[in-house]
Amino acid sequence: MPKPHAYKQITETLKLVPAGRVVSYGQLADLAGLPGRARLVGRALKLADGDTPLPWHRVVRADGKIAFPAGSNEAQEQRERLCAEGVEVIRYRIRLSNYGWQPDPYTLLHQLKY
DNA sequence: TTTGTGACCGTAA
DNA sequence: ATTACGGCCACAA
C-alpha cells in the first residue's frame, strides 16, 4: 500500500521539474521514492486538486509520447503548454534526449529529506 | 470478494 | 517501427 503521503511525494517532486523539461511517469515515481509505481503517478495527477497548480504537462510516457489520446482536448492542452515553454512536440512526441530532465544532486538530496 | 480498468513500463518478438 | 505480455496496484463496480 502506498504511504499516506505518496501523492504528496509525487506532487512535490513534480514541482522540482523546471519549465522546458519533461519527465516520464516512471522516472517521476522513482525520483519520488516509489519505484515501479508509474501508474500511481498517473492517478495522483488525475486526482490532483486544482488548488495548487502543478506542472502536470511536463509528464510524458517513457517513450516521450503524450499519454492522452492523440487529438483529445487534454493532449492539445498539454502540447500547447509544452510548446509555450519551448519544448518541441512532434506528432505528440518529445525527444527525451533533448528535453528529458535529470535532477542535479543538490535538488535530489533536498527531495530525499522526506 | 472478485473483476476490470487505467494520464504506465520494460522486455521480447 | 509496432504488438504482446506480464508486472504494477488503487479504485470502483
Side-chain angles (χ1 to χ4, degrees):
Chain A
M1 25 229 324
K3 301 159 109 180
H5 293 358
Y7 290 176
K8 181 79 169 183
Q9 289 244 84
I10 290 168
T11 55
E12 288 305 309
T13 305
L14 173 55
K15 289 177 184 171
L16 303 177
V17 182
R21 290 269 134 146
V22 299
V23 281
S24 75
Y25 293 85
Q27 183 189 359
L28 183 52
D30 291 345
L31 294 173
L34 301 162
R37 309 293 305 281
R39 300 193 93 125
L40 190 65
V41 172
R43 210 167 318 134
L45 297 185
K46 182 170 61 177
L47 302 178
D49 51 358
D51 299 342
T52 46
L54 284 174
W56 57 269
H57 56 286
R58 307 213 259 255
V59 187
V60 297
R61 296 202 308 217
D63 60 2
K65 286 194 289 186
I66 285 176
F68 298 105
S72 68
N73 297 4
E74 290 284 36
Q76 274 292 326
E77 174 70 14
Q78 186 166 10
R79 183 190 60 70
E80 286 179 23
R81 284 175 175 245
L82 288 171
C83 200
E85 295 182 351
V87 176
E88 194 175 5
V89 183
I90 295 148
R91 275 183 330 220
Y92 298 97
R93 198 179 328 130
I94 292 156
R95 291 230 177 250
L96 298 182
S97 54
N98 298 336
Y99 301 99
W101 180 60
Q102 288 300 121
D104 59 88
Y106 176 80
T107 301
L108 185 57
L109 189 62
H110 184 278
Q111 172 63 18
L112 289 178
K113 285 198 302 184
Y114 272 74

